[in-house]
Amino acid sequence: MSGRKPRSVANPLESAITTPSERILKECHSLYVDSENGLVKIAGSLGVRLLPPRKKIIVMIMGNHSAGKSSFINWYVEEHIQTTGVAIETQGFTFITSGRKRESLTGNATLHLYPHFRPLLDFKGVMDYLCAEISTSKQKKFSLVTFVDTPGLVDGDMIYPFNVNNAITWLGEQSDLIFVFFDPMGQALCKRTLDIVEKLSEKCGDKLMFYLSKADEAGRETDRQRVMMQIVQELCRRPGLNKCGFEMPTIYIPNPQKPSRCVNQIDSVCQTIEKTINQAVQRTLDQLEKDCDLICSTIQSKLQQDRADAVYNRSVRLHSFLCGALGVLLPVLFILSFIVNTFSREQLADLCGEGPAQTLSVVSGIVLFFWDWIPEDGQVVCVIIFGAFCYLLLHLAKYFSGRGNKTLTKKEKRTMAEYSDYVQDVVKSKKGKLYDWYLQQCAAECDL
């Protein structure tokens, strides 16, 4: 047996306490993915595609190498997960998330854990530089956060094994927050970093948050101010980043053994994450209501369309019946008229009774009247035209019989009604309770 010591964790899973936000997100997620009555399954049966909400927010951290990205993650999780150092320690993308067991996943397993990131396969070479670290830590709001640690960015002759600019840009678009770390040690104005930030600013500028990391290593306050001015000036030179209200808090990892007079605003990073989590909870609850309304409206429209189809089918069947009846009845009457004409009135009365005999005599007389009215040399042509007309009626009967729309069966209509009742009575009711419970955590009782 190996003498290697097991990796320590911040706290065991059993001691973790589920937060209100975590519970709400999990409850909403279960309403979507339930195997029997999940909204995804119900919507799929109606031809509507729904995506279940994520149970965690995605926070991507980017910056030049040795900017303190991995150190911040280790500090937030309160566990040594990511390797830190001056060298380029992170060469690929690492997803750091909380789970039931401390585990490290490779690229393929990572994409199974995060299937919505599967488009990363389109970036050649990324698969070999993709991994995930699962921790049992529940510190701060880590149970509701998935961090994405990105490769350290450098200029010059550094060759990455994949298109790092496009990969980071795509990941940023999928994230809820993008933290850009600038360090004061000479690499803050990395052109590659600024190029990616500018591109991200065009598509998702509201997610970008800028921080001066390792601020305690910048020397005196005047040195820090000079570094920040240089960074701000470089950012403002780029049209996509020249915006009002620009902020760049100074942060560093607190170390009791190394006190510093520099203002540390690292707590504001935690507050930003918590605020985004709360916004994600509200968005999830709002989206849940919209999806419920979408399902109910789809069911109503399908039932309404089914009723319209039923009326249309009755009309089509009537047309088909009339054409078919005429197509059969007319030639029968034509032939029957000649047969009836061979019998006397007394013989007809003896065969079928006085009333029917009189009716047959009248019909036969009308047909024979028109037949005698037709010249003899034109009678064959009239028979052909009459036969073609009867054939056309039969063809129309067949045409109308195939024009009916497919309607719902009684079982399908009953299932739709049950789905509608379930969404209205169960899911919407659950959503209302979750919203009330969420508001109780953040609002005064007198405001509710």
Side-chain angles (χ1 to χ4, degrees), residues 6 14 17 52 91 112 150 167 211 268 302 342 408 437-438 440 445:
E14 290 78 7
I17 301 176
Q91 296 182 344
H112 276 81
T150 59
Y211 297 97
S268 68
K302 282 185 175 293
T342 62
L408 300 173
W437 189 58
Y438 170 73
Q440 288 173 4
E445 188 173 343

Side-chain angles (χ1 to χ4, degrees), residues 179-379:
F179 289 164
V180 184
F181 283 8
F182 294 106
D183 80 289
M185 305 307 293
Q187 288 292 328
L189 302 181
C190 172
K191 182 179 181 298
R192 187 188 296 271
T193 302
L194 297 179
D195 288 343
I196 297 175
V197 169
E198 186 174 19
K199 187 178 295 185
L200 283 171
S201 180
E202 296 173 359
K203 300 181 179 181
C204 43
D206 56 326
K207 302 178 185 178
L208 283 169
M209 306 294 295
F210 300 94
Y211 297 97
L212 180 66
S213 60
K214 296 185 177 181
D216 57 331
E217 298 180 8
R220 296 172 297 181
E221 183 64 26
T222 54
D223 297 327
R224 261 190 307 275
Q225 294 297 330
R226 189 179 300 111
V227 170
M228 292 182 69
M229 286 297 297
Q230 291 175 352
I231 296 174
V232 172
Q233 286 175 359
E234 185 62 31
L235 290 173
C236 290
R237 285 197 187 101
R238 296 171 177 256
L241 300 175
N242 190 358
K243 57 183 180 180
C244 299
F246 179 83
E247 294 182 4
M248 189 168 60
T250 56
I251 64 172
Y252 58 91
I253 306 302
N255 185 358
Q257 308 297 328
K258 188 180 176 183
S260 174
R261 293 184 179 181
C262 176
V263 176
N264 192 1
Q265 296 174 279
I266 197 168
D267 289 337
S268 68
V269 185
C270 301
Q271 292 170 5
T272 300
I273 293 175
E274 185 171 357
K275 180 181 178 181
T276 304
I277 291 172
N278 293 334
Q279 291 174 346
V281 172
Q282 296 172 39
R283 285 197 306 269
T284 299
L285 290 171
D286 292 341
Q287 188 62 44
L288 176 60
E289 183 170 8
K290 291 179 182 178
D291 290 339
C292 288
D293 292 338
L294 176 61
I295 290 175
C296 291
S297 63
T298 302
I299 291 175
Q300 290 300 321
S301 64
K302 282 185 175 293
L303 292 175
Q304 185 176 358
Q305 182 62 42
D306 181 69
R307 288 191 290 269
D309 289 339
V311 173
Y312 173 76
N313 288 348
R314 284 196 293 269
S315 174
V316 166
R317 283 196 295 267
L318 178 61
H319 284 77
S320 178
F321 172 76
L322 291 175
C323 290
L326 288 173
V328 174
L329 187 60
L330 288 177
V332 169
L333 287 176
F334 180 73
I335 297 171
L336 187 62
S337 298
F338 290 96
I339 296 175
V340 169
N341 191 47
T342 62
F343 292 92
S344 65
R345 184 179 293 273
E346 291 78 10
Q347 289 175 324
L348 284 176
D350 292 339
L351 286 173
C352 54
E354 188 67 30
Q358 186 175 1
T359 303
L360 287 173
S361 297
V362 172
V363 173
S364 175
I366 294 173
V367 172
L368 291 176
F369 170 78
F370 283 106
W371 179 255
D372 294 336
W373 180 71
I374 301 172
E376 287 189 11
D377 56 351
Q379 288 179 347

Side-chain angles (χ1 to χ4, degrees), residues 17-25 141 144 281 437-438 441:
I17 301 176
T18 303
T19 63
S21 297
E22 184 177 5
R23 177 184 163 187
I24 291 172
L25 290 175
K141 297 290 182 178
L144 294 171
V281 172
W437 189 58
Y438 170 73
Q441 312 304 314

